[in-house]
């Protein structure tokens, strides 16, 4: 994140951002990007409006254009009612929204968000997710780092997994989940007879006779579920409940970084 936002230099390799070479044209890169760091850049002694106007001055916007842009962002981020309140009175979610609004004053093509929802309550986190989705829908490219795997699953078109500073996997959420085995369907029974007949019929299953449950390997797809239910229905086997489990990004992260963690814990 620091390299891509021109804060520190790269040891090797080449990067182009919004068509600009990072090493050869850092000023052009800075004019095309916005950065919202992990820690808020809001001046808490200023009001929300004053913070935005300060950013407009730093972006060299004319006075009238700066005031117009500040007003638009206050409305867009649901901060118009507190525009003239001192920022130190704001909640964590309000500060994060103001911080992101300040990043947008200059109309960046690419925005770097460093763990934008850390410390937010669930409602504020969902609100921030919606803002990010709307920015992407408007054509802004978002480069986001997060410790919350659900957040990556919800927001990212492509995900890169880092372990010890190295890229260990990259792809869509669906592509990454396919790297990890463990998808299965759990069948719950109320009748021991149905449980026994299903266990014999389905072949490769993990059975828990005490709980009357069967665990069947599955990709969780509609076709495989339909086939499974058709087999049970053909034999008049009654199922009390069905649960589908597919690997999530937490499973992916632990599987891809587990070897390193095990080595570190052994030292």
């Amino acid at each position: 994140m620091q390299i891509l936002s021109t804060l520190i230099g790269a040891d090797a390799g080449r990067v182009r951002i919004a068509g600009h070479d990072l090493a050869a044209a850092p000023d052009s890169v800075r004019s095309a990007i916005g950065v919202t760091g992990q820690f808020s850049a809001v001046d808490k002694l200023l009001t929300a409006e004053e913070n935005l106007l300060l950013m407009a001055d730093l972006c060299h916007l004319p006075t009238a254009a700066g005031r117009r842009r500040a007003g638009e962002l206050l409305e867009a981020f649901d901060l118009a009612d507190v525009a003239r309140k001192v920022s130190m009175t704001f909640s964590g979610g309000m500060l994060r929204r103001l911080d992101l609004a300040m990043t947008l004053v200059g109309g960046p093509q690419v925005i770097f968000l460093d763990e934008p929802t850390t410390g937010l309550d669930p409602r504020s986190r969902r609100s921030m997710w919606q803002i990010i989705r709307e920015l992407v829908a408007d054509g802004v490219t978002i480069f986001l780092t997060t410790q919350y795997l659900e957040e990556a699953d919800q927001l990212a078109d492509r995900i890169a997994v880092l372990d010890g500073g190295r890229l260990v996997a990259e792809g869509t959420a669906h592509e990454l989940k396919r790297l990890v085995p463990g998808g299965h369907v759990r069948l719950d029974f109320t009748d021991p007879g149905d449980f026994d007949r299903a266990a014999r019929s389905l072949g490769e299953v993990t059975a828990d006779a005490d709980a009357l449950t069967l665990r069947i390997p599955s990709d969780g797809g509609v076709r495989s579920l339909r086939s499974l239910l058709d087999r049970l229905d053909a034999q008049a086997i009654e199922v009390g409940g069905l649960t589908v489990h597919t690997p999530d990004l937490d499973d992916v992260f632990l599987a891809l970084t587990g070897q390193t963690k095990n080595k570190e814990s052994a030292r």
Side-chain angles (χ1 to χ4, degrees):
M1 183 75 82
Q2 288 182 308
I3 292 171
L4 296 177
S5 58
T6 76
L7 294 176
I8 61 175
D11 295 325
R14 295 188 64 186
V15 179
R16 295 184 69 84
I17 298 177
H20 306 294
D21 185 277
L22 188 66
D27 287 340
S28 297
V29 171
R30 292 185 193 111
S31 69
I33 68 173
V35 181
T36 300
Q38 184 176 353
F39 302 103
S40 174
V42 173
D43 187 329
K44 295 183 180 179
L45 297 179
L46 301 180
T47 66
E49 184 179 47
E50 287 169 342
N51 270 287
L52 291 168
L53 292 175
L54 173 61
M55 289 302 299
D57 288 340
L58 292 173
C59 291
H60 306 294
L61 295 183
T63 301
R67 289 194 174 279
R68 185 168 57 253
R69 183 62 173 156
E72 292 170 351
L73 290 169
L74 288 167
E75 288 288 345
F77 284 78
D78 197 24
L79 294 169
D81 291 343
V82 295
R84 299 191 176 180
K85 290 188 177 181
V86 178
S87 303
M88 69 171 60
T89 64
F90 290 2
S91 67
M94 294 167 66
L95 284 172
R96 214 61 177 124
R97 295 204 306 274
L98 177 57
D99 200 19
L100 183 52
M102 291 167 62
T103 301
L104 293 173
V105 168
Q109 299 170 254
V110 181
I111 298 177
F112 295 98
L113 299 182
D114 190 5
E115 301 189 26
T117 62
T118 297
L120 297 186
D121 61 80
R123 185 184 300 275
S124 296
R125 180 174 295 130
R126 299 275 175 175
S127 176
M128 182 61 69
W129 288 1
Q130 185 58 35
I131 289 171
I132 292 171
R133 291 190 184 101
E134 290 170 358
L135 288 172
V136 172
D138 288 339
V140 178
T141 297
I142 305 287
F143 187 103
L144 181 148
T145 65
T146 182
Q147 300 278 0
Y148 302 115
L149 280 301
E150 180 194 7
E151 185 162 87
D153 204 353
Q154 287 281 336
L155 298 176
D157 295 316
R158 294 191 65 80
I159 300 167
V161 180
L162 291 173
D163 183 29
R166 294 188 177 278
L167 190 68
V168 295
E170 182 182 359
T172 65
H174 180 67
E175 289 169 345
L176 293 179
K177 290 173 186 177
R178 290 176 59 187
L179 298 175
V180 180
H184 65 269
V185 173
R186 170 177 159 154
L187 300 178
D188 299 301
F189 297 89
T190 56
D191 181 83
D194 285 328
F195 168 79
D196 290 335
R197 286 195 296 135
R200 291 194 301 270
S201 172
L202 296 176
E204 186 183 344
V205 299
T206 301
D208 184 337
D210 293 330
L212 295 182
T213 63
L214 297 177
R215 178 169 154 171
I216 302 99
S218 171
D219 62 5
V222 172
R223 183 174 298 178
S224 61
L225 287 175
R226 184 181 292 119
S227 174
L228 172 62
L229 293 175
D230 285 346
R231 290 170 63 186
L232 294 170
D233 190 52
Q235 299 180 57
I237 297 174
E238 291 290 334
V239 179
L242 180 150
T243 307
V244 178
H245 173 82
T246 55
D248 57 22
L249 287 181
D250 285 322
D251 297 320
V252 173
F253 181 81
L254 292 172
L256 293 175
T257 63
Q259 185 174 358
T260 300
K261 290 183 181 296
N262 290 339
K263 287 180 179 177
E264 290 176 350
S265 64
R267 288 175 183 170

